[in-house]
């Protein structure tokens, strides 16, 4: 998606450790006009799929997923980071390794909001090694729900997540795929 690529080129900052900072329009300050265009693009790409719910993960997926949910006319559920002390049986749980913080944390979704009747579109801001998506897929499968597709804003194509997901036969639509980037601010898109 040209508009997103141009914005990343203009305002994205490459940090050490292969981290792309997009704080000024996605991860801290949010450009809702841009989110609306992204949502329209996902609507076009997933046309004809019987999506009845969007699933994302807190915190940075929530903004884009909320705008996408309005475009699709469906509710959005976000997986919550939880304390493992809480042994509530009414949740599906899984563990995710954080790319940016390195820690392993547990996320939960209430069984009330994810069921076998659901046809899920997963939305997230970044795809790197795929840990966050693997966790979300695990939650959807635990519920017996169907995964209709995955929409990602920025995929880092030089990390292995995209390949892992596409190998599973899931429709994965990343609106910008970074092929390479360096700390001089040179960013090449696929
Ligand atoms: P993964 O689980 O695919 O390795 O990483 C995905 C998650 O890590 C995303 O939800 C995002 O929050 C974070 N992440 C991974 N790479 C980057 C990056 O380059 N920049 C930012 N801002 N977040 C990232």
């Amino acid at each position: 998606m040209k508009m997103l690529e141009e914005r990343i080129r203009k305002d994205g900052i490459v940090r050490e450790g292969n981290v792309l900072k997009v704080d000024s329009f996605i991860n801290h300050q949010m450009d809702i006009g841009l989110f609306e265009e992204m949502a329209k693009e996902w609507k076009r790409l997933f046309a004809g799929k019987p999506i009845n719910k969007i699933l994302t993960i807190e915190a940075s997926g929530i903004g884009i997923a909320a705008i996408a949910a309005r475009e699709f006319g469906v509710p959005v559920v976000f997986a919550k980071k939880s304390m493992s002390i809480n042994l509530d049986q009414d949740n599906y749980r899984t563990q995710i390794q954080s790319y940016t913080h390195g820690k392993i944390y547990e996320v939960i979704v209430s069984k009330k909001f994810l069921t076998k009747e659901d046809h899920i579109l997963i939305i997230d801001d970044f795809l790197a090694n795929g840990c966050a998506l693997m966790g979300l897929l695990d939650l959807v499968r635990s519920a017996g729900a169907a995964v209709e597709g995955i929409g990602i804003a920025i995929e880092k194509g030089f990390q292995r997540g995209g390949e892992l997901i596409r190998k599973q036969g899931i429709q994965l639509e990343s609106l910008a795929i970074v092929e390479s980037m360096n700390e001089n601010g040179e960013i090449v898109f696929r």
Side-chain angles (χ1 to χ4, degrees):
M1 187 186 171
K2 267 270 150 314
M3 189 183 186
L4 180 60
E5 290 181 0
E6 280 166 10
R7 189 62 179 272
I8 295 167
R9 272 221 178 82
K10 181 168 160 276
D11 292 329
I13 298 166
V14 181
R15 287 278 159 82
E16 61 176 315
N18 278 330
V19 172
L20 176 61
K21 288 208 77 148
V22 289
D23 279 29
S24 63
F25 57 104
I26 294 181
N27 286 146
H28 195 11
Q29 175 168 259
M30 298 189 283
D31 181 337
I32 302 304
L34 175 65
F35 288 11
E36 282 168 345
E37 293 307 314
M38 288 160 51
K40 280 186 206 153
E41 185 64 2
W42 282 318
K43 187 80 172 35
R44 190 182 69 77
L45 292 164
F46 292 108
K49 294 255 171 147
I51 292 159
N52 76 327
K53 196 170 281 183
I54 287 178
L55 176 68
T56 189
I57 182 165
E58 72 174 347
S60 50
I62 297 176
I64 32 179
I67 303 297
R70 192 172 61 180
E71 184 68 31
F72 281 80
V74 300
V76 54
V77 176
F78 61 93
K80 291 186 170 207
K81 294 175 182 166
S82 91
M83 302 286 173
S84 33
I85 288 165
N86 179 358
L87 291 174
D88 186 351
Q89 293 303 302
D90 297 333
N91 299 313
Y92 295 110
R93 346 180 127 249
T94 194
Q95 293 196 329
I96 291 178
Q97 168 134 29
S98 159
Y99 180 80
T100 36
H101 304 111
K103 284 186 269 188
I104 291 179
Y105 56 94
E106 190 170 56
V107 297
I108 60 155
V109 168
S110 167
K111 290 182 180 175
K112 280 188 292 200
F113 304 130
L114 198 56
T115 73
K116 62 179 172 12
E117 278 75 43
D118 285 326
H119 291 259
I120 301 291
L121 173 63
I122 295 174
I123 294 280
D124 204 3
D125 58 344
F126 270 91
L127 171 57
N129 290 322
C131 301
L133 284 185
M134 291 302 174
L136 291 175
L137 286 170
D138 187 35
L139 292 172
V140 173
R141 286 171 182 148
S142 300
V147 181
E148 295 295 338
I150 300 176
I152 295 290
I154 306 171
E155 175 179 337
K156 293 190 289 181
F158 51 88
Q159 290 180 260
R160 65 192 170 97
E163 198 194 329
L164 285 178
I165 299 292
R166 291 187 179 95
K167 264 208 304 229
Q168 296 188 29
I170 298 170
Q171 183 182 354
L172 167 63
E173 301 289 356
S174 301
L175 301 183
I177 303 182
V178 177
E179 194 66 69
S180 66
M181 60 187 200
N182 63 38
E183 285 163 51
N184 297 326
E186 289 152 354
I187 302 173
V188 177
F189 294 98
R190 187 176 293 173

